[in-house]
Amino acid sequence: MRLGAFLYPTGYHVAAWRHPGVPADAGVNFAHYAELARTAERGTLDFLFLPDSSAMRGADLPELSRAAIRYVAQFEPLTLLGALAAVTERIGLTATVSSTYNEPYHTARKIASLDHISGGRAGWNLVTSQNPYEAYNFGLPEHPEHAARYRRAHEFAEVVKGLWDTWSDDAWVRDKDSGRFFDPERIRPLDHRGEHFSVRGPLNVPRGPQGHPVTLQAGSSEAGRELAAATADVVFTAQHDKDDVRAFTEDVRARAGKYGRDPSSVLVMAGVFPFVGRTRAEAEEKRERLQDLIDPEVGLALLQSELGHADLSGCDLDGPLPELPPSDSGRSRGDLLARMAADDGLSIRQLYKRVAGSRGHRQVVGTAESVADELTDWYESGVVDGFVVMPPSLPDGLADFVDLVVPELRRRGLFRTAYEGRTLRDHLGLHRPVR
């Protein structure tokens, strides 16, 4: 079973920052992140994952002032991962990089550098920007339209991976006696010219320990699945139904085959939002304590954001979710939540309370044994290769999973007791591309 840790600074629950056990300055507290990284490494998890946005998610300052998960105060993730590489030894280090507001040369260079610094533990989550407020920070009145963003993302990934291959693994002679630093026969400028980018290359960083750092992708829309199938080693998905995740996995792998890839080489990991206790009652008390801390204004604003920045003003909060117009922001999550509301008969208020926690991901509440039972069912059914764990609050939520659930998975022979390799590709069982 593959396991990653998804780290919003204070935890995945919208009200986590108000919990007395959570440092309120978590987003800019390096000691806090170092503790989380060491906890995850103690649990032999495959990787840490840091989400990111290049803008605060929202413009309502009174509402933003009452939330801590809207990218209002947190480190730039690749910089943070470079620091975490120095205080860890084995765990993978991954973060989101937007193809919409970055350049492929800079991205290839930064991630290759992180791969060297960490000894082969780097990965990147390739996304297209969904937060409309990012556009304003890059001189645009709005995002490029959805299809154009995804065309750019495909080309972005092609250029990044091409740059990582501009040097052969054995190009670096560094022979002091002969005076030759590298072999010029083992360099291949990229000379890419496409719709969005013109990049000559080569990259001025040697090929990394992994050849290609691990590529992750989390799109579930039609365009997102196509991008994942073409580019990703690991695909995240938000699903709460076993049949839905099975269909998603089969679909993405079938698409990967169309790109000439081995479908079995594409790992699918589902998000899971766990409340773990030594008893069921303790786990439920942990959940209710956070639910009681939800600010209604923040909960509603978060729901509107997750629905593609829908406008629910004037709606009866105790009435059903209205039919929403199409959005040019992230589409798959909004569709998922609308289906959830319809299937479960949720009012807007009930939906925002649920969204404030799992945001469409699978929520599990119980003892280590019952949580492990649920993860085991999906894993042994073959519908996923593992899970991205989204602790409700940090640091305690991650420690609960590592100290209670991981030993139970180990007891069942489903998870490693020690790291067997050095690189993130080793942990995930992925081959190293040769150049």
Side-chain angles (χ1 to χ4, degrees):
M1 185 182 295
R2 313 301 179 192
L3 293 173
F6 189 109
L7 303 181
Y8 271 125
T10 57
Y12 203 70
H13 195 284
V14 69
W17 78 274
R18 300 180 66 190
H19 190 287
V22 175
D25 67 346
V28 289
N29 184 331
F30 179 71
H32 170 68
Y33 278 106
E35 177 188 354
L36 299 177
R38 293 188 184 106
T39 297
E41 190 166 66
R42 172 163 55 80
T44 63
L45 271 59
D46 292 284
F47 57 84
L48 307 175
F49 172 74
L50 304 180
D52 191 41
S53 176
S54 293
M56 294 190 296
R57 185 166 285 178
D60 184 335
L61 289 180
E63 183 271 318
L64 286 172
S65 73
R66 306 179 69 81
I69 66 163
R70 310 296 292 277
Y71 303 103
V72 297
Q74 62 191 78
F75 292 126
E76 189 285 313
L78 293 181
T79 305
L80 175 57
L81 290 180
L84 292 177
V87 298
T88 56
E89 295 181 354
R90 295 292 186 90
I91 194 161
L93 305 168
T94 74
T96 287
V97 178
S98 171
S99 60
T100 309
Y101 297 115
N102 280 288
E103 289 294 321
Y105 190 93
H106 285 145
T107 298
R109 189 183 187 204
K110 290 174 184 177
I111 298 172
S113 297
L114 178 61
D115 206 40
H116 281 284
I117 290 167
S118 65
R121 296 185 282 137
W124 65 312
N125 177 38
L126 169 65
V127 304
T128 66
S129 286
Q130 299 177 4
N131 178 3
Y133 300 97
E134 290 185 53
Y136 309 150
N137 292 334
F138 296 90
L140 297 176
E142 60 184 15
H143 284 324
E145 58 92 17
H146 190 267
R149 295 203 305 274
Y150 274 93
R151 289 197 304 273
R152 178 183 168 100
H154 278 271
E155 188 178 345
F156 191 100
E158 178 186 350
V159 175
V160 167
K161 294 182 180 186
L163 286 167
W164 287 335
D165 283 341
T166 50
W167 296 94
S168 295
D169 289 321
D170 58 355
W172 301 91
V173 180
R174 298 188 179 96
D175 188 330
K176 293 184 179 182
D177 291 335
S178 69
R180 174 172 281 188
F181 190 63
F182 67 84
D183 183 347
E185 298 298 318
R186 300 192 180 278
I187 184 174
R188 183 177 62 196
L190 186 62
D191 286 330
H192 174 90
R193 290 177 177 82
E195 178 185 358
H196 297 95
F197 306 109
S198 178
V199 182
R200 180 182 182 276
L203 193 64
N204 61 346
V205 179
R207 204 162 189 266
Q210 296 186 102
H212 291 182
V214 173
T215 300
L216 306 99
Q217 219 286 316
S220 291
S221 67
E222 177 69 20
R225 294 181 188 213
E226 206 63 28
L227 180 62
T231 66
D233 300 302
V234 177
V235 183
F236 295 167
T237 185
Q239 306 280 354
H240 59 279
D241 180 84
K242 187 175 175 181
D243 290 336
D244 287 347
V245 75
R246 185 191 306 276
F248 174 86
T249 298
E250 291 175 352
D251 179 57
V252 168
R253 287 181 172 158
R255 293 174 192 244
K258 294 190 305 181
Y259 288 96
R261 305 180 64 198
D262 175 3
S264 66
S265 70
V266 180
L267 304 179
V268 176
M269 299 178 69
V272 62
F273 180 66
F275 288 93
V276 187
R278 287 172 174 79
T279 64
R280 171 81 186 192
E282 180 185 320
E284 290 177 344
E285 190 278 331
K286 291 178 179 180
R287 177 182 60 183
E288 291 310 308
R289 187 174 190 183
L290 284 177
Q291 289 294 92
D292 289 344
L293 294 173
I294 299 171
D295 185 309
E297 186 178 351
V298 173
L300 181 60
L302 178 63
L303 174 60
Q304 292 178 138
S305 174
E306 294 290 323
L307 290 171
H309 302 276
D311 182 4
L312 299 177
S313 60
C315 294
D316 177 5
L317 296 186
D318 294 309
L321 187 71
E323 186 173 346
L324 300 173
S327 169
D328 199 41
S329 295
R331 295 177 177 175
S332 57
R333 183 60 54 87
D335 291 343
L336 173 70
L337 295 177
R339 288 199 307 274
M340 181 190 297
D343 292 346
D344 296 348
L346 301 178
S347 68
I348 293 173
R349 191 186 309 277
Q350 291 170 326
L351 183 60
Y352 83 58
K353 281 197 167 186
R354 188 175 295 187
V355 168
S358 64
R359 299 208 274 298
H361 290 279
R362 185 184 183 200
Q363 179 176 278
V364 293
V365 183
T367 63
E369 292 79 9
S370 67
V371 170
D373 285 344
E374 295 203 41
L375 302 187
T376 299
D377 177 42
W378 277 27
Y379 176 70
E380 291 193 333
S381 297
V383 300
V384 293
D385 298 289
F387 301 90
V388 181
V389 180
M390 298 164 158
S393 63
L394 293 169
D396 290 351
L398 180 61
D400 286 343
F401 190 88
V402 165
D403 294 336
L404 299 175
V405 179
V406 167
E408 178 63 22
L409 294 173
R410 288 171 171 168
R411 187 186 68 76
R412 301 178 187 201
L414 295 176
F415 194 60
R416 68 171 70 87
T417 57
Y419 291 111
E420 298 175 0
R422 303 293 310 188
T423 72
L424 178 54
R425 283 186 173 273
D426 290 339
H427 304 340
L428 296 172
L430 298 171
H431 77 276
R432 181 186 187 277
V434 176
R435 160 75 170 90

